[in-house]
């Protein structure tokens, strides 16, 4: 382990955070879709942040830091992955509401 490796890892973390911050600025939330075409890795990065946070809370080795928590909290990052999944359900319901009646019927019945 060298200081250079630590700096490189922090630079990578900050790059992903900047990507998430841009998404948040546009969408108003941090719930990255699993199939986000613009940055396919960002969903996994967010999941990793939640996992590292849980490890930290449990007193286990983690790459999460107080500074990173504060940065993520500054953009209303959701630490609960269930909120994301609930959000996805709500988005699907929202789009289903605006489908033409015939398509909506086909969606309900399979």
């Amino acid at each position: 382990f060298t200081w250079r490796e630590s700096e490189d890892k922090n630079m990578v973390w900050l790059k992903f955070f900047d990507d998430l911050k841009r998404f948040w600025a546009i969408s108003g939330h941090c719930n990255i879709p699993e199939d986000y075409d613009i940055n396919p890795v960002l969903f996994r990065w967010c999941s990793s942040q939640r996992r590292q946070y849980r490890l930290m809370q449990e007193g286990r080795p983690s790459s999460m830091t107080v500074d990173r928590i504060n940065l993520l909290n500054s953009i209303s990052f959701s630490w609960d992955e269930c909120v994301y999944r609930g959000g996805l359900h709500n988005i699907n319901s929202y789009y289903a509401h605006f489908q033409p009646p015939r398509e909506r019927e086909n969606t309900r019945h399979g």
Side-chain angles (χ1 to χ4, degrees), residues 11-96:
M11 293 296 288
V12 169
W13 192 94
L14 288 171
K15 187 245 182 261
F16 276 108
F17 176 74
D18 285 342
D19 292 347
L20 179 61
K21 192 173 179 180
R22 271 194 294 279
F23 179 89
W24 170 77
I26 293 167
S27 67
H29 62 81
C30 294
N31 299 328
I32 304 295
E34 193 168 358
D35 59 352
Y36 185 50
D37 291 337
I38 295 170
N39 186 341
V41 181
L42 195 54
F43 172 83
R44 287 194 309 268
W45 182 83
C46 289
S47 293
S48 176
Q49 300 317 296
R50 292 180 182 102
R51 184 175 56 256
Q52 293 302 316
Y53 178 74
R54 281 192 303 274
L55 290 171
M56 181 184 186
Q57 296 289 75
E58 295 168 0
R60 297 169 60 192
S62 168
S63 62
M64 187 54 64
T65 66
V66 172
D67 289 338
R68 289 177 175 181
I69 292 169
N70 289 337
L71 284 171
L72 290 164
N73 283 340
S74 75
I75 58 171
S76 303
F77 184 77
S78 173
W79 296 103
D80 182 4
E81 199 136 16
C82 292
V83 170
Y84 169 77
R85 291 189 179 120
L88 182 61
H89 173 74
N90 291 338
I91 290 169
N92 288 338
S93 297
Y94 173 82
Y95 284 120

